Amino acid sequence: KAFKAHDIYYKSPIFIQHVMTSAYGYKLKKERYRKIYQNALKRYVKRDFDKEQKLIHFMNHLKNNIAVYQNIEVDEDNIMKSFFKLPFTVKNDLRKELEKRSWKEGIIRISRTSGTTGANLIVYDSEYDREERMAYLDYIKYINGVMPFSKRASFTGQELTPVNHKDKMWRYNHPMRQMLYSTRCMRPDNVRKIYESLKRFKPVSLDGMPYSMHMVAQYILKNEIEIDWDVKAIFPTAETLLPYIKRDLEKAFNTVVIDQYSSAEGAPFIYGLRDGGYKIGDETGLVEFYKVSDRMYEGVMTSFINYATPIVRYKIGDLFEVDSDKEYFNSFDEEFNIVKIIGK
């Protein structure tokens, strides 16, 4: 019987598992951090961005390369008027018309996400899309004091170790200077070992599942520990960031927690601010807000960072609490403050 890759990995000594983790990290680094990434990051840092020109470029891409949009009007003198003539998109449109809504140019990868109905949703992305997204993620870190490829600790649900593993629940990705911690193995009785590993590694930032990072924060606070290294920021992903978790993380690590919002479909980035609230990354897309009730709005997403399967006026189903009383507005026409991301 042939071994699968993870069987070989699990049966290898731990130091070999570190080597295999680093080898995979090297492969990902070559795929995600090339010239496209470098140019995009420089552009974001310089704030070299024109909203109208970006939308014009995006609309022309739809007309020239995406079958379902081949008959749209692109009036470059009044691009917003053309944009608002585009129909809304819902999940079933992506499920039933994926090929007609996609442009398979470049190195294409399939991205899967489970929808609220439980059925998988598939979209494509290219190396261009992936590197643009990685560049914007690193831009969010950069404006919060974290330089690209700084030492980071990532709390991940990936299968790094057997699920019943109790010791050395971390593997090192050397090319990315990233220590990976297996959230599948973390429990109150072994969280001390995670903290001691962090203390030795001294990461500049933490990211990943907030519930797991919170277990470490609770250990630090319960034992009245003052950490002896500088954590610039913490970037939770994958789960809803609850207020008490944010509070405990900031207190334990003496730092700021920067929440992030996007989606596997490739929605625009929305990220937390140090003084509260959230900011839309206009460089990554346009968000429309439709009032549902007092200060509560449905978000409709258009993404500039997935040209392989463009997300166009997509009713993602998430709600936002916004400091506004308008019936409708969008992220290109007004300054406003997102107070809270409610989710679905």
Side-chain angles (χ1 to χ4, degrees):
K1 184 179 178 180
F3 279 113
K4 294 181 180 179
H6 69 264
D7 292 326
I8 299 172
Y9 174 85
Y10 283 152
K11 291 179 180 295
S12 301
I14 288 177
F15 81 92
I16 295 295
Q17 293 181 15
H18 284 295
V19 171
M20 294 174 74
T21 300
S22 291
Y24 185 64
Y26 177 74
K27 174 179 178 291
L28 292 181
K29 188 174 182 179
K30 283 188 67 177
E31 290 176 356
R32 296 177 177 176
Y33 299 91
R34 300 175 304 173
K35 193 169 184 178
I36 296 168
Y37 162 87
Q38 294 166 5
N39 291 339
L41 183 57
K42 289 176 184 175
R43 189 171 68 249
Y44 293 142
V45 169
K46 290 180 179 178
R47 302 289 297 160
D48 181 13
F49 173 68
D50 182 295
K51 293 179 180 180
E52 282 200 3
Q53 287 303 313
K54 187 66 179 178
L55 187 54
I56 288 169
H57 187 274
F58 180 74
M59 294 277 288
N60 278 314
H61 169 66
L62 295 180
K63 185 174 180 64
N64 296 330
N65 300 312
I66 307 298
V68 296
Y69 296 109
Q70 63 184 353
N71 296 320
I72 66 171
E73 169 194 322
V74 181
D75 180 358
E76 296 190 5
D77 294 324
N78 194 344
I79 196 63
M80 292 303 291
K81 182 179 179 182
S82 295
F83 172 76
F84 288 124
K85 290 181 179 178
L86 298 177
F88 291 115
T89 305
V90 296
K91 274 190 169 64
N92 270 343
D93 296 329
L94 292 173
R95 289 196 182 103
K96 294 178 180 178
E97 302 177 323
L98 178 63
E99 300 305 320
K100 291 181 180 180
R101 292 176 176 273
S102 298
W103 182 55
K104 294 183 179 178
E105 189 75 20
I107 303 170
I108 295 297
R109 183 186 68 179
I110 293 174
S111 292
R112 299 176 185 271
T113 178
S114 59
T116 53
T117 62
N120 277 345
L121 179 65
I122 295 172
V123 297
Y124 298 116
D125 65 7
S126 70
E127 77 277 16
Y128 174 84
D129 302 324
R130 293 190 287 275
E131 291 186 56
E132 285 275 342
R133 280 200 291 277
M134 297 313 299
Y136 203 79
L137 279 170
D138 279 357
Y139 168 70
I140 295 172
K141 293 179 179 181
Y142 173 84
I143 60 178
N144 285 284
V146 179
M147 300 301 291
F149 307 113
S150 299
K151 289 170 70 172
R152 58 188 277 221
S154 297
F155 289 75
T156 174
Q158 293 174 344
E159 296 181 2
L160 298 174
T161 65
V163 72
N164 60 349
H165 204 60
K166 296 180 180 179
D167 192 21
K168 295 185 178 179
M169 299 156 285
W170 50 88
R171 299 293 180 265
Y172 188 49
N173 174 4
H174 185 270
M176 298 296 298
R177 304 181 72 196
Q178 176 189 32
M179 193 70 78
L180 294 149
Y181 294 92
S182 175
T183 62
R184 300 163 72 242
C185 304
M186 288 181 62
R187 295 183 300 276
D189 64 346
N190 63 22
V191 72
R192 174 181 62 84
K193 295 177 182 178
I194 299 289
Y195 165 72
E196 290 172 350
S197 169
L198 285 171
K199 180 180 171 66
R200 290 190 298 271
F201 183 55
K202 295 181 173 21
V204 174
S205 67
L206 281 69
D207 59 69
M209 296 183 173
Y211 180 78
S212 300
M213 292 189 289
H214 186 239
M215 289 177 66
V216 184
Q218 286 179 308
Y219 173 83
I220 292 170
L221 295 173
K222 180 180 178 182
N223 291 279
E224 299 182 344
I225 297 169
E226 291 188 17
I227 66 169
D228 62 358
W229 77 96
D230 183 20
V231 177
K232 296 289 186 184
I234 297 175
F235 303 95
T237 59
E239 299 170 345
T240 301
L241 178 64
L242 299 174
Y244 76 93
I245 291 180
K246 181 177 187 291
R247 182 194 65 234
D248 288 352
L249 285 171
E250 291 185 332
K251 184 176 181 182
F253 290 97
N254 190 29
T255 191
V256 63
V257 172
I258 304 297
D259 196 15
Q260 301 166 51
Y261 170 91
S262 187
S263 74
E265 294 99 313
F269 281 99
I270 302 174
Y271 57 92
L273 300 172
R274 284 175 169 260
D275 56 357
Y278 291 81
K279 177 175 173 53
I280 292 172
D282 288 335
E283 305 95 329
T284 67
L286 188 158
V287 184
E288 300 170 69
F289 292 94
Y290 292 85
K291 192 169 188 176
V292 175
S293 60
D294 184 38
R295 288 166 59 100
M296 204 66 64
Y297 292 80
E298 178 186 5
V300 175
M301 309 293 179
T302 297
S303 173
F304 299 152
I305 50 173
N306 193 346
Y307 270 43
T309 304
I311 303 302
V312 183
R313 305 195 79 193
Y314 180 51
K315 291 191 170 185
I316 200 166
D318 286 351
L319 296 179
F320 301 81
E321 183 182 343
V322 186
D323 186 10
S324 177
D325 58 2
K326 289 191 173 185
E327 291 298 317
Y328 165 86
F329 58 96
N330 68 68
S331 61
F332 272 23
D333 70 4
E334 183 177 335
E335 289 294 327
F336 55 90
N337 180 42
I338 298 176
V339 179
K340 190 185 297 183
I341 299 172
I342 309 299
K344 294 180 174 64

